């Protein structure tokens, strides 16, 4: 918290931010302003709500501190920047950026907000280091009244998800993050502008693309579909490599690479499932020559961002917020990223340096390294607040039920305009 203390001009929001982060790290079931205020021993959720909505502090500056903190503790050994998006299911149409759209969180089209995130993965761990709220063009960018109601700044205009991804990547590189690789799924790999921007910056990439993607062979003269190229590969073209450790051991696939385009270090990477035969495709570029095993490693690292989303939502309440305002969304997400970065840093520093390998196999009775959930459990057990008194529990129960009664009455009035007030 000392790293971000200077971002707050007054002591009250600074102390409230500390209580907010402690609440995100606590055992509180839902990490919204009501329950975080109760966890902090406050009588009302007002201070937490003001922190997110009205208090004067710069969430982007705190984001920069989170990024620097993650780099300091995770290092840059094997660093890869990962871009991906996640959905936040919502009701109604007032939350900034919400609309019916596809989200992988639900696996279908739902009423949701979508956030585009940047993660840093190194040999010591992974953490979320940047975020952007996707603002749909038709339903939001061209509706001034709706924008004003949600507190969306005038300077915020429509940007595609790949463009948001590039803005975050460029900001990280400009801040001195030494990551030679970027990876992402098809939503980002299919965008030629993102690939061109990375090449211009000298940053290598391994980006997933669709099987129908056309690549050029024969020194760029012949365009061919990716899946057609894969079908023509001889058996000798496939090599078995691990895409990294999984829950049940190394994730082995068969891999092949094909030189494409006119550049010396441009390839189509193909992954084949050993059991089902399912294929996945990646466009790859690097400023210098690299072996196949390095491209495989970067492709395998992409799944780290899914682990970040799972940990952020289950451990520090990334999706527990109940705010509609543009500024409030970015502030909650940033503080949740800080809480996750803290847990990740502790896990990295606590990892045992045991010799492993053929001559030093891990013993079955050796405990695994401390995980993010286990660290949060230990911290909340040791440093958690004392049990609340019966009077405080009853106070919050009464407050919640009165507030809920007011909200319910308001909803009923809205649905029945003829109902008399009072």
């Amino acid at each position: 918290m000392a790293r971000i203390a200077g971002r707050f001009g007054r002591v009250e929001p600074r102390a409230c931010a500390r209580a907010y982060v402690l609440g995100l790290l606590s055992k509180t079931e839902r990490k919204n302003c009501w329950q975080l205020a109760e966890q902090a021993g406050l009588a009302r959720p007002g201070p937490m709500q003001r922190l997110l909505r009205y208090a004067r502090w710069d969430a982007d500056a705190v984001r920069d501190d989170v990024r620097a903190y993650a780099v300091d503790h995770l290092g840059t050994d094997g660093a890869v920047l990962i871009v991906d998006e996640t959905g936040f299911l919502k009701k109604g149409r007032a939350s900034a950026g919400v609309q019916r759209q596809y989200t992988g969180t639900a696996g279908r089209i739902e009423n949701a907000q979508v956030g585009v995130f940047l993660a840093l993965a190194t040999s010591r761990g992974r953490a979320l280091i940047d975020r952007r709220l996707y603002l749909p063009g038709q339903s939001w960018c061209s509706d001034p009244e709706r924008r004003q109601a949600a507190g969306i700044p005038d300077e915020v205009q429509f940007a595609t998800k790949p463009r948001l991804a590039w803005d975050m990547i460029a900001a990280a590189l400009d801040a001195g993050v030494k990551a030679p690789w970027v990876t992402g799924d098809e939503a980002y790999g299919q965008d030629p502008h993102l690939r061109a921007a990375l090449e211009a910056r000298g940053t290598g990439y391994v980006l997933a693309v669709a099987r129908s993607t056309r690549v050029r062979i024969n020194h760029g003269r012949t365009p061919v579909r990716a899946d057609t190229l894969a079908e023509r590969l001889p058996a000798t073209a496939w090599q078995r490599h691990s895409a990294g450790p999984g829950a049940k051991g190394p994730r082995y696939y068969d891999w092949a690479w094909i030189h494409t385009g006119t550049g010396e270090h441009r390839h189509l990477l193909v992954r084949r499932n050993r059991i089902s035969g399912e294929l996945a495709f990646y466009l790859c570029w690097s400023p210098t020559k690299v072996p196949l095993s390095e491209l495989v490693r970067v492709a395998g690292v992409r799944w780290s961002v899914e682990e970040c989303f799972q940990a952020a939502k289950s451990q520090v309440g990334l999706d527990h917020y109940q705010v509609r305002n543009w500024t409030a969304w970015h502030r909650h997400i940033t503080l949740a990223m800080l809480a996750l970065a803290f847990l990740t840093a502790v896990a990295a520093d606590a990892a045992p340096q045991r010799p492993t390998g053929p001559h030093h196999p891990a013993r079955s009775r050796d405990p695994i390294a401390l995980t993010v959930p286990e660290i949060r459990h230990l911290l909340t057990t040791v440093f958690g607040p004392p049990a609340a008194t019966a009077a405080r529990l009853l106070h919050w129960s009464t407050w919640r039920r009165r507030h809920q009664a007011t909200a319910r009455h308001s909803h009923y009035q809205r649905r029945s305009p003829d109902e008399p007030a009072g």
Side-chain angles (χ1 to χ4, degrees), residues 320-356:
H320 291 190
Y321 61 88
Q322 293 179 340
V323 297
R324 297 174 175 176
N325 182 269
W326 172 273
T327 298
W329 186 89
H330 285 85
R331 289 181 171 185
H332 168 83
I333 296 297
T334 302
L335 293 177
M337 287 167 47
L338 174 62
L340 179 64
F342 165 71
L343 293 174
T344 303
V346 174
D349 293 342
Q353 300 297 322
R354 296 189 183 123
T356 58

Side-chain angles (χ1 to χ4, degrees), residues 186 190 209-214 225-228 231 279 281:
E186 290 183 19
Q190 296 289 146
V209 293
R211 62 189 305 114
S212 59
T213 301
R214 290 187 173 272
R225 279 176 57 118
D227 53 358
T228 302
E231 292 172 359
L279 299 178
F281 303 87

Side-chain angles (χ1 to χ4, degrees), residues 89-108:
L89 304 183
K90 291 293 171 184
K91 296 180 180 179
R93 61 187 304 274
S95 299
V98 71
Q99 73 168 12
R100 286 190 60 79
Q101 54 191 319
Y102 178 82
T103 169
T105 302
R108 59 183 182 273

